[in-house]
Each structure stands twice: as structure tokens, then as C-alpha cells.
Amino acid sequence: MRILVLGGIRSGKSRWAERAVAAAAGTAPVRYIATGALPTGPDDAGWTRRVAAHRDRRPAHWSTVETTDVAAALRTDATTATLVDDIGGWLTAVMDRRAAWTGGEVGADVSDLLAAVAAVDSPLVLVSPEVGLTVVPATEAGRRFADELGELNQRLADECDRVVLVVAGQPVPVKDPS
């Protein structure tokens, strides 16, 4: 079962995804692929607290992989239940690497991620921000990110058996297994 969990900032999407992967895995190991970069300096104590809160919620028997190379991480073990949190962090890193903020292309990276997702044979839960519920960004780079993430979310939804939108901590089914 592949589940895409969408939601806004602080919607409860990560917490819901953690419960979903834990339920799917039972007592088996879970791999948590964290894509969010740590702050580069002491100026972002709030981000450091958010990362720590995510780490503190994970059970001791879960392993954590902190990487922005999600496709490679998925390919290293396609049989362990996996949670990826979050796709927006991954896309930001790809856009940085490919200079996509100013016109570079991310298509090859997106295709590689989608192929890796399709090859996973275990429970997989992907967390991604939903960008379609806010104002249109005022900057070209912001619009580029929103457009890329919106397209990526649509393509991931096609690959997933289930899609859930989390609003105020409450899951709203968008796509259920047929």
C-alpha cells in the first residue's frame, strides 16, 4: 500500500502519516526518510525545535535516514515499511541543485523519484505539502516551486493507492483503494 498524505503547514500531516505507517508495519521495522535540512546556523531555533519534535515522536525501533536523495534511499531497501517526510523538502533540494528557481529542469529527478516509488514492495507513506490551498506566490521562484510541487503531487497521487488530505489533524480521504 502506498499512501500520499497531503496537508498545509502544521496541519498534522506528519503525525497522521507516522500513525499510518506504524499501523501498516505492526511490530516490523520502519524506516523514516527525513528530507528536511538542518539549519546552517544558530539563527533558526524554531526549525531546530521542529526537527527535534519529529525525532522525539519516532519509536526507538525505527531507523532514520536523513537525505535528499530519496530515490536512492528507496532503492536501497524496497521491502521495509517506509515514511518519507517530506516531498517539499526533497523538491527544494532538487530545485537548488538544478538551479530550477531560475529555469533549470527537475524532470529527470521527478521521473527517478516516481520510478523508485513504483518499485517499493512494502508499505510506503509519503508526506507532501499541499500548495493549492493558498495564495499564488508573489515571486517567480515561489510560483515555480508551487507549480512543480503541484505537478509532482498529482503524479505521486497517480502512483499511490490512497491519498489523504489532513486538515486540522483530521484525515479527509481523497483517493481510496479501488
Side-chain angles (χ1 to χ4, degrees), residues 1-3 20-21 24-25 78-83 120-125:
M1 169 80 60
R2 291 183 200 98
I3 304 172
V21 78
T79 60
T80 298
T82 300
L83 172 71
V120 172
D121 289 330
S122 62
L124 175 63
V125 180

Side-chain angles (χ1 to χ4, degrees), residues 3-5 13-14 17 83-88 125-129:
I3 304 172
L4 176 61
V5 181
K13 63 187 176 295
S14 293
L83 172 71
V84 178
D85 195 358
D86 85 11
I87 297 300
V125 180
L126 305 161
V127 177
S128 188

Side-chain angles (χ1 to χ4, degrees), residues 92-173:
T92 299
V94 170
M95 290 182 74
D96 285 347
R97 190 171 62 249
R98 301 288 184 212
W101 304 105
T102 55
E105 294 296 321
V106 298
D109 297 271
V110 167
S111 294
D112 188 41
L113 175 66
L114 290 163
V117 165
V120 172
D121 289 330
S122 62
L124 175 63
V125 180
L126 305 161
V127 177
S128 188
E130 176 51 56
V131 295
L133 301 175
T134 187
V135 297
V136 176
T139 65
E140 181 181 347
R143 287 187 300 273
R144 203 175 284 270
F145 177 80
D147 290 348
E148 292 290 348
L149 186 59
E151 283 290 321
L152 176 55
N153 283 346
Q154 290 177 54
R155 292 179 70 188
L156 285 169
D158 287 342
E159 283 296 326
C160 290
D161 308 297
R162 185 174 181 204
V163 178
V164 174
L165 175 65
V166 178
V167 179
Q170 302 304 305
V172 179

Side-chain angles (χ1 to χ4, degrees), residues 21-22 24-32 61-63 77 79-82 122-123:
V21 78
T27 59
V30 171
R31 179 176 51 158
Y32 193 111
H61 70 281
W62 288 18
S63 65
D77 181 0
T79 60
T80 298
T82 300
S122 62

Side-chain angles (χ1 to χ4, degrees), residues 42-97:
D43 298 335
D44 201 345
W47 183 252
T48 301
R49 282 191 300 277
R50 283 181 187 228
V51 170
H54 277 249
R55 285 183 181 150
D56 292 346
R57 284 197 312 253
R58 296 178 207 150
H61 70 281
W62 288 18
S63 65
T64 300
V65 177
E66 293 182 354
T67 185
T68 56
D69 194 350
V70 174
L74 290 174
R75 286 187 181 102
T76 62
D77 181 0
T79 60
T80 298
T82 300
L83 172 71
V84 178
D85 195 358
D86 85 11
I87 297 300
W90 172 83
L91 181 60
T92 299
V94 170
M95 290 182 74
D96 285 347
R97 190 171 62 249

